[in-house]
Amino acid sequence: IHHFLHCQPPAAVMNAENIYFICGMNDNDLRMQAIREFQGLVPPQNILFSKQLQKINGWAAAQPDDSPAVVNAELVVVDESHYAGNEHSHVDRFLRLVKSGGQEPLILSVSATPMAELATSERHCKGRVYLPPGPGYYGIEQIFTDGRIYPAADVTHQPERLIDIISHNYEEQSELGEFKYNIIRLPSQWYYKDLEEELGGLEMDIAFINHHTAGTKDADFNNYLREAPGKMTVIWVYNSLRSGKQLNTEHIGFVHDTATSAPDTIAQSLLG
């Protein structure tokens, strides 16, 4: 984006108002992170996630057939492109609205788990740029080799297994005298009530944070993690932390994700 805005001669430089950063995810926390990271490069109003894309697509669909809605764009960056690669997704519908002086815009799709996209890239004449990991990077294979990955519990059908996981980690953190935040994804944001009630009947002093309750759902998730907790703390999440969110992991103990997910979701969610 910096190149197209400032370093493109002899071709004309782009107008920042015609550069869009879009993502099919419905995660306000991740959108605010993108707005901060692209400050001075992409206008905040051009950083569009699922809710904003849905609004634009709905407005376009309501226009008369003789006045088609058009989004003027020279460059569109599609972040987490694996997340909305299907026809008729919000991302796909938005891209069909985009025009650039009668020409097709430049489209850059970005993903850390691009397996499906790579499988069709040659057919669609897509080029590829590979960004090698930096020093100190380690991946899922290394975590698995180190014995730090365990089977997840099916919270819907085997909630007692999740209770056992929490209890085991409570004992470990208590013995070490080093309490942590522990992030658990639920199938529905309402599951936490029954789980908290059951855990409350056991002899464990655990604090709970529901990321999706009113007043906290739009906060930066890192706000919870800045200081070490005074007691073991469970943070319930539902439809967030799916991919791309950068967390301060200093005070995080264990994370527990859904038992069955697609490979890209597994790799980029809490495990990532």
Side-chain angles (χ1 to χ4, degrees):
I1 294 173
H2 173 82
H3 171 82
F4 285 125
L5 287 175
H6 305 291
C7 312
Q8 206 182 348
V13 297
M14 288 186 181
N15 184 339
E17 296 295 326
N18 295 333
I19 297 177
Y20 286 81
F21 182 95
I22 66 174
C23 181
M25 295 185 64
N26 184 18
D27 190 330
N28 189 63
D29 203 20
L30 191 58
R31 179 173 181 260
M32 296 309 297
Q33 177 177 287
I35 288 174
R36 290 192 299 270
E37 290 182 339
F38 286 91
Q39 186 175 7
L41 292 171
V42 181
Q45 66 270 21
N46 287 10
I47 296 179
L48 312 173
F49 277 49
S50 180
K51 287 183 179 178
Q52 293 77 35
L53 293 173
Q54 187 175 1
K55 184 176 181 180
I56 292 173
N57 291 336
W59 173 81
Q63 302 305 304
D65 292 339
D66 57 352
S67 75
V70 172
V71 176
N72 291 315
E74 297 177 85
L75 171 65
V76 180
V77 179
V78 184
D79 193 32
E80 306 296 353
S81 55
H82 64 276
Y83 206 81
N86 296 328
E87 263 191 309
H88 309 303
S89 68
H90 291 311
V91 170
D92 178 52
R93 291 169 59 195
F94 177 83
L95 290 175
R96 294 173 188 270
L97 299 175
V98 171
K99 298 295 178 184
S100 177
Q103 303 296 318
E104 292 296 322
L106 294 171
I107 297 177
L108 172 65
S109 58
V110 183
S111 176
T113 50
M115 293 81 75
E117 193 167 5
L118 288 174
T120 61
S121 60
E122 185 174 348
R123 174 158 36 108
H124 293 287
C125 302
K126 287 184 178 180
R128 180 178 71 136
V129 176
Y130 173 66
L131 301 180
Y137 172 86
Y138 62 94
I140 295 173
E141 182 179 6
Q142 184 62 53
I143 302 173
F144 183 81
T145 302
D146 290 346
R148 298 176 60 194
I149 295 179
Y150 303 90
D154 181 344
V155 180
T156 301
H157 300 101
Q158 295 178 310
E160 66 279 358
R161 278 204 58 224
L162 180 60
I163 298 295
D164 290 342
I165 291 171
I166 296 172
S167 301
H168 173 74
N169 281 273
Y170 178 82
E171 291 176 6
E172 283 194 343
Q173 293 179 24
S174 297
E175 289 176 4
L176 292 172
E178 187 178 357
F179 294 110
K180 300 284 188 177
Y181 297 101
N182 308 276
I183 306 173
I184 299 176
R185 186 184 309 284
L186 299 176
S188 164
Q189 60 177 308
W190 306 116
Y191 273 57
Y192 78 96
K193 294 182 178 180
D194 291 338
L195 291 167
E196 286 186 12
E197 183 176 335
E198 187 164 350
L199 288 165
L202 304 177
E203 295 183 359
M204 296 184 291
D205 187 13
I206 301 177
F208 300 98
I209 298 173
N210 186 338
H211 181 56
H212 300 278
T213 54
T216 63
K217 61 183 179 180
D218 292 333
D220 185 340
F221 202 93
N222 281 304
N223 291 342
Y224 306 128
L225 311 175
R226 298 189 191 283
E227 304 291 337
K231 61 177 71 175
M232 178 175 173
T233 301
V234 170
I235 305 178
W236 308 113
V237 299
Y238 171 51
N239 190 21
S240 61
L241 301 185
R242 290 290 189 189
S243 57
K245 175 62 181 171
Q246 299 163 13
L247 290 187
N248 177 356
T249 60
E250 180 181 2
H251 303 303
I252 291 180
F254 75 90
V255 298
H256 183 278
D257 219 321
T258 45
T260 304
S261 296
D264 51 9
T265 303
I266 291 174
Q268 288 215 55
S269 292
L270 296 182
L271 175 58

